[in-house]
Amino acid sequence: MRIALILLTILMLGACKSPEARYPVSQNSGSYIRESVERNRELVAAEEEYIKDLMEEDSATEYLVSNDGFWYYYNKRSTDSSNTEMPEFGDLVKFDYSLSTLDGEPIYEEGEKPTREYAVDQEELFSGLRQGLKLMKEGETVTFLFPSHKAYGYYGDKNKIGTNVPVKAKVTLHDINKNESKNED
């Protein structure tokens, strides 16, 4: 009986102890993140080099470089001197687009995707196309060359576009409806 009383006392004293922090069995030094960053840098550099090689081969086309990390050329440029408006935040634009691989293999052919209405910077759209639309004027058709991080990135579109696929997008901007409410503020 005496031994049971001693064990019970020891158990009670041990139970009153404050909880101790549990430490992970293995600790990461952040090497996974550093390795991932390095892989992504190499991927971006390889894609950009491939795009530059394609542009060199197509010397007849005048390519422009955007400040946002993609290249483009005009299929149809506006020659109307009164047509100077480009989409800005909140404007409603109507456009069509098709997507292909950089080698020209169709992913979404012209007419496969319906004409899209888009409130600039207020709706979901992959980043390259969102930025590219702001470089266009009404009635223009532009072909953009997007590295994968400016297109659908790591996740793809969960349909026809896989992981880390750079794309060529041919975009026609039909209409820009200016957001009048931003001028009233």
Side-chain angles (χ1 to χ4, degrees), residues 48-144:
E48 288 179 356
E49 189 64 34
Y50 184 65
I51 290 170
K52 288 175 184 175
D53 289 345
L54 288 174
M55 291 187 303
E56 280 181 26
E57 290 174 15
D58 185 16
S59 59
T61 304
E62 181 187 347
Y63 288 90
L64 303 168
V65 63
S66 79
N67 293 332
D68 295 309
F70 57 86
W71 295 263
Y72 63 101
Y73 63 88
Y74 287 90
N75 301 78
K76 179 182 170 195
R77 194 171 201 159
S78 176
T79 56
D80 181 3
S81 60
S82 66
N83 184 11
T84 60
E85 295 290 326
M86 292 186 196
E88 296 174 347
F89 179 84
D91 294 344
L92 188 64
V93 297
K94 189 184 290 184
F95 68 96
D96 287 313
Y97 71 104
S98 62
L99 296 175
S100 64
T101 64
L102 293 178
D103 295 326
E105 284 294 316
I107 299 171
Y108 293 105
E109 296 188 47
E110 287 187 44
E112 190 173 343
K113 288 197 166 271
T115 298
R116 170 105 191 251
E117 284 192 353
Y118 166 69
V120 176
D121 291 337
Q122 295 182 323
E123 297 177 38
E124 287 295 315
L125 195 62
F126 70 87
S127 70
L129 187 53
R130 188 172 59 240
Q131 294 159 342
L133 283 167
K134 292 186 227 174
L135 299 173
M136 298 178 70
K137 297 175 187 167
E138 219 172 76
E140 291 184 330
T141 301
V142 177
T143 298
F144 297 97

Side-chain angles (χ1 to χ4, degrees), residues 32-49:
Y32 174 76
I33 292 172
R34 281 192 297 275
E35 290 169 6
S36 178
V37 166
E38 187 57 35
R39 272 192 312 272
N40 287 333
R41 283 184 182 151
E42 290 170 5
L43 175 69
V44 168
E47 288 177 358
E48 288 179 356
E49 189 64 34

